[in-house]
Amino acid sequence: RKGKRMLLHYFIAGGIFMWGILLASICGVAVILEKLWIFSTKEREFTKEYRKQLFKALKTESREKIIEIVKPKRDSVSRIVTKTMENIDLDLDKIEESEREHLEEIIREAVLAQAGKLEKGMWLLGAVVNTAPQLGLLGTVTGMITSFSALSASVESSKTVAAGISEALYTTAFGLIVAIPTLIFYNYFNRRIDATALEMERAALHIMGRVKK
């Protein structure tokens, strides 16, 4: 209880900009939880063993067999392969030159659509990383203005001076507390998205390598 009271005291002492930092933290936590859920459930289905099985199937198996393998999976690579295979009604080993361009377009659209889903919300996470410290800095500036204004107005305004300094320090601290963990997750998710995008491109190359034989 004492800890909660202290936290509430710091929040109130921080001034109006603390509400902006709180809103930023809520947005950041929401995106982080969503991304953690995606990467710990759906994307986790793309294991090393499954990757070998899928890429081997893309080189040798029929369209129907490939769909049978990828259909139950929910990871991004499986999704683009499923979408590609379901949108063509062709024998992969007997595709004409004119049909290859159509297949390339289908693959490109599937990759872009899935990449968009992975990137969803990342802009908001980036905004939190940039906004939280800026709000803290703004609170610092306004707090210091309050302090110096009180000092210039009267020598007997020690409480106002102290409150202004507290506002300046608390907003800066809370802004950094929100921004630093968010930045760590932002970089982690970007790395995971890049790795997933690379695997999607490899799957696309396997498909096109098959039909260009």
Side-chain angles (χ1 to χ4, degrees):
R1 287 184 179 181
K2 186 177 179 181
K4 290 181 179 179
R5 286 200 208 100
M6 289 295 291
L7 188 62
L8 182 61
H9 168 71
Y10 294 151
F11 184 85
I12 294 171
I16 191 171
F17 294 107
M18 293 292 280
W19 291 100
I21 295 172
L22 177 62
L23 179 61
S25 68
I26 292 171
C27 294
V29 169
V31 176
I32 288 169
L33 290 177
E34 181 195 16
K35 294 299 178 187
L36 285 175
W37 181 78
I38 290 173
F39 286 112
S40 63
T41 55
K42 294 182 179 181
E43 298 304 329
R44 199 173 181 181
E45 294 181 7
F46 191 74
T47 61
K48 290 183 179 180
E49 294 75 16
Y50 172 65
R51 179 180 182 275
K52 291 179 182 178
Q53 179 192 12
L54 174 59
F55 286 173
K56 183 179 179 181
L58 290 175
K59 290 180 179 179
T60 59
E61 299 292 349
S62 65
R63 169 179 166 271
E64 290 74 18
K65 181 62 177 178
I66 293 171
I67 292 175
E68 183 184 331
I69 293 172
V70 297
K71 191 74 172 178
K73 300 292 185 178
R74 300 175 297 168
D75 61 278
S76 295
V77 177
S78 298
R79 290 298 88 205
I80 68 158
V81 174
T82 301
K83 187 173 181 180
T84 300
M85 295 301 159
E86 288 182 343
N87 280 276
I88 60 172
D89 189 16
L90 304 166
D91 185 339
L92 291 175
D93 296 313
K94 298 178 181 179
I95 292 181
E96 300 295 331
E97 186 67 34
S98 60
E99 296 169 331
R100 289 174 184 170
E101 292 183 5
H102 177 59
L103 178 59
E104 286 179 350
E105 186 64 27
I106 291 174
I107 294 172
R108 191 180 300 112
E109 288 180 3
V111 170
L112 287 174
Q114 195 61 40
K117 291 180 180 178
L118 288 174
E119 290 281 354
K120 182 181 178 183
M122 290 299 292
W123 69 269
L124 184 57
L125 212 57
V128 171
V129 170
N130 291 309
T131 303
Q134 296 299 324
L135 287 171
L137 181 60
L138 189 56
T140 298
V141 172
T142 57
M144 296 306 293
I145 289 172
T146 302
S147 299
F148 289 127
S149 297
L151 280 173
S152 62
S154 174
V155 180
E156 299 177 355
S157 55
S158 58
K159 289 185 178 180
T160 307
V161 173
I165 294 174
S166 295
E167 179 180 336
L169 297 176
Y170 293 151
T171 52
T172 301
F174 275 83
L176 292 174
I177 287 170
V178 171
I180 291 172
T182 305
L183 178 61
I184 293 171
F185 279 108
Y186 180 79
N187 290 331
Y188 169 72
F189 293 141
N190 267 330
R191 187 167 58 84
R192 291 294 302 270
I193 290 170
D194 289 343
T196 303
L198 182 61
E199 293 298 338
M200 289 192 290
E201 289 177 11
R202 283 175 178 164
L205 289 173
H206 274 74
I207 296 172
M208 293 311 302
R210 168 84 173 271
V211 302
K212 288 183 177 179
K213 287 182 179 180

